[in-house]
């Protein structure tokens, strides 16, 4: 057969693949490979078999080739076949021996003669080494060697920052602490035309920073053009309405307690892309905080129908939200042992996420095991949560609660003040209990002016808190300002008329004011 006829058949194969006619692609690719015996045509046949989900046959074809160990394309595709067959040890063997140094760089000591006989393309290709590193990470993760998986995912991103899948696994599986994520991002080498990608990655990992910093990051990405300023392209679109960026911004709003803004944003995004899974999860969390029971029911029904494999720990063991949700459900039922089991499993599977260890500490507090909740020398629960994510104010809030219950009020003040200093957005009603707790701690230390200041600050956020009014009234009472105390006891009793503490203290305050001010006693002439 003439070369032009062979080339025409190759074009038929490529067209069949583009139209997803895989059986036709396999048929014609087989004939081309029979006519030429060219490694490139054998690879094309194996690729068609792989896309047609004939993994065992594709692997046999590649493994029988004399170039499988010399051409990275052959080796990588053969390993991909083994990945689909869940033969993870053989997958790692096919990828060959390689070592990582302490900086995440790959050294392959046995494969100096390896070729990469790829197409003559002008496109910006992802480095084959990055793809191989990522596949190694997938294999190690499947073998539950998460430490090795993490290292190979890091190596994949370092080999080529365009290998987004590796970064996504690191972020979604919480394999790195916040500081480790920042360190990885700073080590990546982006090409000049990929500056927008660097900014986008920054938004993905730095959502715990201060409000002005995070908002500035989002603004930078939204204004980025796909082309560099020096480009003469007429394309001038931006990422302002990109679904992934909006989902990232929604996560930020949820983390800083802006639940209404989060819910409004996710609602708009889901109208545009109803099956955006990451946005769906944030939407559910915001709906839960806002008490949107109807929305939760509708979304739950849709999730069971559309994503059944992702929402149960028995089907998808690496789904963090399921483990946390299971633990919280058991904790609500006061099944402490079952809750701890779920939290500990989550902590083991997601070492870069501080939430499981935080919830473990909170569960200890629920059972009044305050020493276990706080002491890093015992189980390192709260201490580990603080180490993993040092910018999460919720961690410091819980440490303050522990210190308060242990009557270490100076320490409690320090933790509560650090909580407020780390709130990523403007103060809102979400943090009102923290401000009240700080006021309580100052009251216990008899620093009444500071206590009053924070009680009043809490009232600026919410005027329906019995604890705030009673605490403010009691502080004025201790300070000897009975008139202010009486006023605030009345406000507290307006919220809860049968509150025993406020009723008793109001009676006492009235009596003490009468003793101090004879003019206030009816019928008494001074």
């Amino acid at each position: 057969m003439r070369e032009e006829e062979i080339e025409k058949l190759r074009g038929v194969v490529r067209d069949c693949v583009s139209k997803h006619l895989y059986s036709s692609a396999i048929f014609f690719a087989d004939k081309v490979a029979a006519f030429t015996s060219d490694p490139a045509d054998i690879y094309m046949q194996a690729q068609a078999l792989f896309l047609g989900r004939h993994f065992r046959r594709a692997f046999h074809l590649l493994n029988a080739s004399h170039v499988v160990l010399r051409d990275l394309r052959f080796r990588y595709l053969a390993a991909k076949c083994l990945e689909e067959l869940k033969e993870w040890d053989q997958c790692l063997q096919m990828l060959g021996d390689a070592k990582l140094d302490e900086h995440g760089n790959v050294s392959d000591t046995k494969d100096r003669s390896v070729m990469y006989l790829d197409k003559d393309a002008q496109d910006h290709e992802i480095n084959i080494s990055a793809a191989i590193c990522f596949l190694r990470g997938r294999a190690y993760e499947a073998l539950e060697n998460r430490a090795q998986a993490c290292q190979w995912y890091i190596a994949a991103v370092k080999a080529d920052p365009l290998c987004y899948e590796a970064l996504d696994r690191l972020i979604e599986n919480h394999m790195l602490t916040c500081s480790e994520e920042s360190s990885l991002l700073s080590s990546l080498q982006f090409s000049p035309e990929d500056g927008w990608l660097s900014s986008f990655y920054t938004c993905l990992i730095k959502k715990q920073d201060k409000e002005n910093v995070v908002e500035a990051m989002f603004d930078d990405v939204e204004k980025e053009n796909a082309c560099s300023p020096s480009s003469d392209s007429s394309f001038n679109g931006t990422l302002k309405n990109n679904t992934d960026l909006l989902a990232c911004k929604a996560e930020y709003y949820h983390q800083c307690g802006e639940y209404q803004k989060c819910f409004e944003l996710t609602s708009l995004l889901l109208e545009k892309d109803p099956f955006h899974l990451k946005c769906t999860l944030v939407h559910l969390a915001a709906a839960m905080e806002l008490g949107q029971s109807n929305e939760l029911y509708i979304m739950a029904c849709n999730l069971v129908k559309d994503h059944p494999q992702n929402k149960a720990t028995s089907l998808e063991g690496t789904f963090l939200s399921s483990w946390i949700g299971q633990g919280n459900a058991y904790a609500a039922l006061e099944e402490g042992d079952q809750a701890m089991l779920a939290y500990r499993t989550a902590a083991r599977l997601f070492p870069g996420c501080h939430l499981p260890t935080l919830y473990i500490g909170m569960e200890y507090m629920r059972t009044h095991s305050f020493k276990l909740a706080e002491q890093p020398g015992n189980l390192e629960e709260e201490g580990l949560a603080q180490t993993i994510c040092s910018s999460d104010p919720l961690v410091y809030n819980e440490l303050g609660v522990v210190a308060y219950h242990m009557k270490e009020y100076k320490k409690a003040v320090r933790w509560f003040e650090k909580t407020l200093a780390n709130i990523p957005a403007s103060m809102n009603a979400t943090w009102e209990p923290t401000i009240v707790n700080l006021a309580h701690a100052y009251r216990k230390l008899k620093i009444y002016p500071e206590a009053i200041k924070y009680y009043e600050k809490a009232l600026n956020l919410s005027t329906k808190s019995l604890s705030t009014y009673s605490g403010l009234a009691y502080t004025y009472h201790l300070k000897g300002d009975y008139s202010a105390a009486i006023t605030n006891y009345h406000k507290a009793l307006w919220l809860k008329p049968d509150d025993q503490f406020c009723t008793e203290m109001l009676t006492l305050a009235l009596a003490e004011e009468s003793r101090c001010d004879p003019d206030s006693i009816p019928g008494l002439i001074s």
Side-chain angles (χ1 to χ4, degrees), residues 211-261:
E211 180 181 16
N212 60 329
V213 176
V214 178
E215 293 289 355
M217 289 191 306
F218 283 120
D219 288 342
D220 288 343
V221 178
E222 288 172 354
K223 294 174 184 176
E224 282 275 6
N225 288 341
C227 302
S228 63
S230 61
S231 172
D232 60 358
S233 171
S234 61
F235 178 75
N236 60 359
T238 69
L239 294 171
K240 185 174 183 179
N241 296 316
N242 176 260
T243 54
D244 286 339
L245 185 63
L246 292 176
C248 185
K249 184 178 284 190
E251 280 190 286
Y252 163 69
Y253 286 145
H254 181 267
Q255 286 181 1
C256 60
E258 298 280 359
Y259 301 122
Q260 187 60 44
K261 290 174 70 173

Side-chain angles (χ1 to χ4, degrees), residues 380-395:
E380 299 196 23
E381 308 299 358
E382 294 281 347
L384 182 58
Q386 183 185 346
T387 302
I388 294 171
C389 186
S390 60
S391 59
D392 187 353
L394 185 58
V395 176

Side-chain angles (χ1 to χ4, degrees), residues 1 10 25 62 69 103 173 176 187 241 398 431 442 473 489 518:
M1 184 176 283
R10 291 187 183 118
L62 291 163
L69 296 179
H103 304 296
N173 287 356
L176 302 175
S187 71
N241 296 316
E398 296 308 312
W431 300 103
Y442 271 122
Y489 283 135

Side-chain angles (χ1 to χ4, degrees), residues 472-488:
L472 180 59
Y474 189 48
T475 304
Y476 276 124
H477 197 154
L478 293 171
K479 192 170 178 283
D481 189 342
Y482 302 117
S483 177
I486 291 168
T487 298
N488 285 285

